C-alpha cells in the first residue's frame, strides 16, 4: 500500500512503461476492441530489496491477450474470466 507503481501508455507510438518503485519496464503494445498484447522489450536491471513486482510483471505481461472495464479501471486478461492485472487511475 505504501509503494507507488505506475503504468503509462503512449497511444500514438503504441508504447508503454511501468515504474515499479525501483526498475522500469517497457515496450510496445497492440490493441483492438477486445484484444490486447504487451511486447515487453526493455527493462532497467538495478538490484532492489524486493524484486517481486518486477518478477510478477515480467511473468504476467507476455500472457495478456485481452482487456476490458473492471470496477473503475481496466482489467487485463490472460484467457480467463478473471483479470491477471487491473489498472486504476
Amino acid at each position: 500500500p505504501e509503494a507507488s507503481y505506475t503504468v503509462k501508455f503512449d497511444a500514438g507510438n503504441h508504447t508503454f512503461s511501468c515504474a515499479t518503485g525501483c526498475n522500469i519496464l517497457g515496450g510496445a503494445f497492440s490493441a483492438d476492441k477486445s484484444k490486447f498484447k504487451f511486447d515487453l522489450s526493455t527493462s532497467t536491471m538495478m538490484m532492489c530489496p524486493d524484486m517481486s513486482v518486477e518478477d510478477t510483471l515480467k511473468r504476467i505481461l507476455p500472457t495478456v491477450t485481452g482487456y476490458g472495464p473492471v470496477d473503475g479501471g481496466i482489467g487485463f486478461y490472460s484467457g480467463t474470466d478473471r483479470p491477471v492485472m487491473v489498472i486504476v487511475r
Side-chain angles (χ1 to χ4, degrees), residues 3-42:
S4 175
Y5 310 114
T6 60
V7 178
K8 293 181 182 180
F9 292 94
D10 180 340
N13 291 316
H14 299 280
T15 58
F16 74 96
S17 64
C18 303
T20 65
C22 182
N23 284 303
I24 297 173
L25 309 172
F29 72 89
S30 60
D32 66 19
K33 292 182 182 180
S34 64
K35 294 180 183 176
F36 199 98
K37 181 179 179 186
F38 287 102
D39 179 17
L40 182 60
S41 60
T42 61

Side-chain angles (χ1 to χ4, degrees), residues 5 20-25 43-59:
Y5 310 114
T20 65
C22 182
N23 284 303
I24 297 173
L25 309 172
S43 172
T44 58
M45 308 226 2
M46 295 188 308
M47 181 55 78
C48 307
D50 181 2
M51 300 291 288
S52 62
V53 174
E54 285 93 327
D55 292 343
T56 300
L57 285 172
K58 287 178 183 178
R59 190 175 61 251

Side-chain angles (χ1 to χ4, degrees), residues 69-74 87-89:
V70 174
D71 298 327
I74 299 173
I87 298 174
V88 294
R89 186 172 259 211

